[in-house]
Amino acid sequence: ILGNGNGGYCRYTCGRCGAGEERTFELDPSPPAEEEPRRDDGDDRRGGGRRITPVDPRISCQCSEDGRSGRVDTGRKGCFKINMAEEAAGRYAGRAGGRVGEAIAGYWGGDASTYASYFAGLWSNVAQGWAREAYSGATTNICYVMDPSGCASATASERFPGAAWRSCD
């Protein structure tokens, strides 16, 4: 069986994954010629967004060549280098800075979101600069995948909710 029944493969094929019995499927390694990759036709009858047809599960984990991962435009095409220490330090320091800003606003008064935003940005930038210098060798190549819901090996993006990335190394 491919996947755990929660990913795109089962949703876009027979849908019987996770039904309680073990099944084995043989797949043709090449996608059928008549199928097209995901396309946005601008029509969503349920409202709230645009309907997107599913991507073939065999290409879900391919790197996005146009910068779109699912419905999210990340602006990052193909594989690119990222410093994981810098990203993590910025993320954690930004969260802490935001909480400090909220506490300052609660103690001295003022708009909590303004203080939180200011301190989150300040602490995040300082932490990223430190990590960039201290851990300059902590780089890796990643890319955003075409279909996050169909790629079990991809990690959900915190920077772009709804998108997911995987290692290119």
Side-chain angles (χ1 to χ4, degrees):
I1 223 169
L2 291 174
N4 61 5
N6 297 324
Y9 180 81
C10 293
R11 186 174 6 178
Y12 301 139
T13 56
C14 69
R16 295 181 290 203
C17 297
E21 58 185 78
E22 179 113 1
R23 298 178 190 265
T24 304
F25 298 94
E26 291 189 24
L27 296 175
D28 178 11
S30 60
E34 66 275 0
E35 288 186 19
E36 295 180 16
R38 169 179 289 187
R39 61 181 193 280
D40 187 347
D41 62 9
D43 180 25
D44 182 5
R45 298 194 194 315
R46 290 174 278 162
R50 293 155 50 132
R51 187 171 61 86
I52 295 179
T53 57
V55 171
D56 184 312
R58 293 168 281 197
I59 63 170
S60 295
C61 292
Q62 287 184 355
C63 293
S64 171
E65 293 302 320
D66 62 359
R68 294 190 66 83
S69 180
R71 294 182 173 154
V72 180
D73 186 2
T74 66
R76 303 299 301 256
K77 301 174 183 178
C79 290
F80 56 94
K81 191 174 289 255
I82 187 170
N83 185 318
M84 298 301 280
E86 179 181 346
E87 291 293 316
R91 183 172 50 249
Y92 297 131
R95 288 179 188 160
R99 291 211 176 19
V100 167
E102 290 170 354
I104 289 173
Y107 187 74
W108 279 296
D111 182 27
S113 65
T114 302
Y115 282 107
S117 178
Y118 173 77
F119 281 98
L122 176 68
W123 285 30
S124 177
N125 289 339
V126 170
Q128 284 179 325
W130 168 80
R132 189 178 313 117
E133 290 181 25
Y135 297 98
S136 60
T139 59
T140 189
N141 290 313
I142 66 167
C143 71
Y144 286 98
V145 298
M146 289 179 58
D147 182 24
S149 64
C151 184
S153 62
T155 302
S157 173
E158 289 188 23
R159 180 173 287 181
F160 300 105
W165 57 271
R166 69 168 179 83
S167 175
C168 293
D169 294 334

